[in-house]
């Protein structure tokens, strides 16, 4: 049995806490709001984020970072914009090195850093053993119901990756390992952009043909940027690429898809975020990916079109028209470029 702290008592943080508790670990769940922690401890529910799910007494909630000083592993499940503050606060409370598993998905605008890089920047080196990413097609609502789910874990250390695989894996929650840390993080982050685009086209009244086009060409965009950053193209055919893309672009559980649908129906980005009541990671990631694509001179037309809607005030229908009216292409020409670059390397 391990002592594990999960920072972030939203739907995903709570669901991962349930997986860990099912595996016999002692879990301290750190909530931002006192009323959430109190509800978990007294009523063993978290109705705000996971309605009707019973939370076992082996999960103890708190609002104080001081209560996690003896943990061996920290699972970080907070929005990308809160990563730095959460990690900085650990410098004041940790007494020994820990392994940090992050299950958040995004890229930081401005710096264009992946989450593992942000963690390494903020945590004192003497307090960090390793950073591990957990990613894949995994809606919290279904994980909390113990429905079969598969995810991927990755880090710079294979032994640490396998340790985290053992920590989470059970009959309902199957965990694979992958040595491509960059690819796993990039796939998990960029699929939210494509999910926003799929929701937007649905809001415009378009159907399955359009959704298939956005998902397929979106995967090509993810691969182009990921490979340029050092990822393996094979990773994007796996759980953290294609798998996560499918579930996020097609499910009613996907907040990014729902947010995109609102955009397509005419709501502004500000109205969408206010209506959702939760962070829509795809909006922030669209900004970061668009900046990064321009910097690296990578063609990402879906991302660029979505950026124009979110940050430049373009009407969704106009962005869709421009996307379809681009100059004709060979479907595999960018794949040829990737293969050629790898041969040259």
């Amino acid at each position: 049995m391990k002592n594990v702290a999960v920072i972030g008592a939203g739907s995903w943080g709570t669901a991962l806490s349930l997986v860990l508790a099912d595996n016999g670990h002692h879990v301290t769940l750190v909530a931002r709001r006192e009323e959430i922690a109190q509800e978990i401890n007294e009523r063993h529910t978290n109705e705000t984020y996971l309605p009707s799910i019973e939370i076992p007494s082996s999960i103890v909630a708190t609002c104080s970072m001081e209560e996690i000083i003896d943990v061996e592993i920290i699972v970080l499940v907070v929005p990308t914009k809160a990563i730095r503050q959460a990690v900085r606060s650990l410098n004041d409370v940790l007494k020994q090195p820990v392994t940090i598993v992050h299950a958040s998905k995004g890229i930081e605008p401005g710096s264009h850093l992946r989450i593992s890089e942000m963690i390494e920047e903020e945590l004192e080196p003497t307090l960090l053993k390793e950073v591990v990413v957990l990613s894949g097609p995994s809606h919290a609502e279904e994980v909390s119901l113990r429905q079969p789910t598969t995810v991927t874990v990755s880090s710079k250390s294979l032994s640490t990756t396998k340790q985290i695989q053992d920590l989470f894996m059970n009959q309902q929650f199957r965990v694979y390992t992958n040595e491509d840390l960059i690819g796993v993080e990039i796939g998990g982050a960029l699929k939210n952009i494509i999910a926003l685009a799929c929701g937007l086209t649905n809001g415009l009244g378009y159907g399955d043909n359009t959704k298939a086009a956005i998902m397929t060409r979106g995967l090509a965009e993810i691969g182009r940027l990921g490979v340029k950053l050092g990822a393996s193209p094979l990773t994007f055919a796996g759980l953290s690429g294609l798998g996560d893309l499918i579930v996020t672009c097609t499910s009613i559980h996907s907040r990014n898809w729902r947010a995109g649908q609102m955009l397509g129906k005419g709501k502004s980005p500000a109205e969408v975020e206010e209506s959702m009541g939760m962070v829509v990671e795809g909006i922030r990631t669209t900004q970061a990916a668009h900046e990064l694509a321009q910097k690296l001179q990578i063609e990402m037309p879906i991302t660029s079109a979505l950026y124009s809607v979110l940050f430049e005030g373009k009407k969704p229908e106009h962005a869709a028209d421009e996307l379809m009216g681009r100059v004709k292409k060979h479907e595999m020409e960018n794949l040829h470029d990737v293969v050629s670059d790898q041969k040259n390397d």
Side-chain angles (χ1 to χ4, degrees), residues 24 28 40 85-86 97-98 131 148-149 153 156 159-160 168 181 205 207 221 230 232 249 264 284 296 315:
T28 302
I40 291 171
Q85 180 180 353
V98 296
V131 180
T149 300
V153 289
K156 296 176 182 177
S159 62
T160 303
F168 280 98
L181 174 64
E221 288 192 17
S232 165
C249 291
R284 183 176 165 90
L296 299 176
K315 290 185 178 298

Side-chain angles (χ1 to χ4, degrees), residues 58-318:
S58 57
I59 297 176
V60 177
T62 180
C63 286
S64 173
M65 288 286 198
E66 299 287 344
E67 296 189 32
I68 67 171
I69 58 174
D70 294 324
V71 300
E72 305 164 66
I73 297 167
I74 293 175
V75 183
L76 193 58
V77 198
V78 299
T80 307
K81 66 180 182 181
I83 291 288
R84 289 189 182 275
Q85 180 180 353
V87 175
R88 278 196 295 265
S89 66
L90 293 174
N91 289 321
D92 299 325
V93 298
L94 292 178
K95 304 301 180 185
Q96 73 287 321
V98 296
T99 296
I100 294 185
V101 182
H102 85 76
S104 303
K105 299 173 181 179
I107 301 173
E108 186 177 42
S111 74
H112 310 139
L113 294 179
R114 292 174 283 111
I115 293 175
S116 64
E117 295 173 313
M118 296 163 62
I119 293 170
E120 290 171 343
E121 274 197 354
E122 295 296 341
L123 193 64
E124 292 291 338
T126 56
L127 296 175
L128 182 61
K129 288 182 178 178
E130 197 65 64
V131 180
V132 183
V133 56
L134 184 152
S135 188
S138 48
H139 286 312
E141 296 84 354
E142 296 179 8
V143 171
S144 67
L145 293 171
R146 280 72 171 182
Q147 294 184 2
T149 300
T150 55
V151 298
T152 293
V153 289
S154 182
S155 76
K156 296 176 182 177
S157 164
L158 183 57
S159 62
T160 303
T161 302
K162 289 181 176 179
Q163 177 192 10
I164 300 305
Q165 179 184 39
D166 292 338
L167 184 81
F168 280 98
M169 186 153 170
N170 61 36
Q171 187 65 30
Q172 294 78 37
F173 198 78
R174 183 169 178 80
V175 184
Y176 290 84
T177 62
N178 188 319
E179 296 181 25
D180 182 14
L181 174 64
I182 296 173
V184 172
E185 285 191 293
I186 291 296
L190 298 191
K191 56 89 183 181
N192 285 328
I193 301 173
I194 309 306
L196 272 173
C198 281
L200 185 148
T201 59
N202 181 274
L204 289 172
Y206 302 153
D208 292 340
N209 291 353
T210 308
K211 183 191 301 180
I214 294 293
M215 291 174 64
T216 306
R217 299 310 303 164
L219 186 60
E221 288 192 17
I222 293 171
R224 282 199 294 273
L225 183 59
V227 169
K228 186 69 172 181
L229 294 173
S232 165
L234 295 177
T235 298
F236 303 115
L239 291 169
S240 60
L242 180 60
D244 211 356
L245 187 69
I246 291 171
V247 80
T248 313
C249 291
T250 63
S251 174
I252 58 173
H253 294 312
S254 169
R255 72 184 68 172
N256 287 281
W257 185 92
R258 297 199 310 271
Q261 186 186 47
M262 293 181 197
L263 288 170
K265 290 185 175 181
K267 288 187 177 292
S268 70
E271 290 172 329
V272 168
E273 292 199 283
E274 182 179 357
S275 176
M276 292 292 292
M278 293 184 286
V279 172
V280 181
E281 286 284 14
I283 295 177
R284 183 176 165 90
T285 305
T286 298
Q287 179 185 356
H290 177 74
E291 294 171 352
L292 194 52
Q294 289 191 316
K295 175 182 176 182
L296 299 176
Q297 297 183 320
I298 300 295
E299 187 179 15
M300 298 184 71
I302 297 172
T303 301
S304 296
L306 190 58
Y307 179 88
S308 70
V309 173
L310 292 170
F311 299 100
E312 297 176 342
K314 181 170 289 186
K315 290 185 178 298
E317 56 270 29
H318 293 166

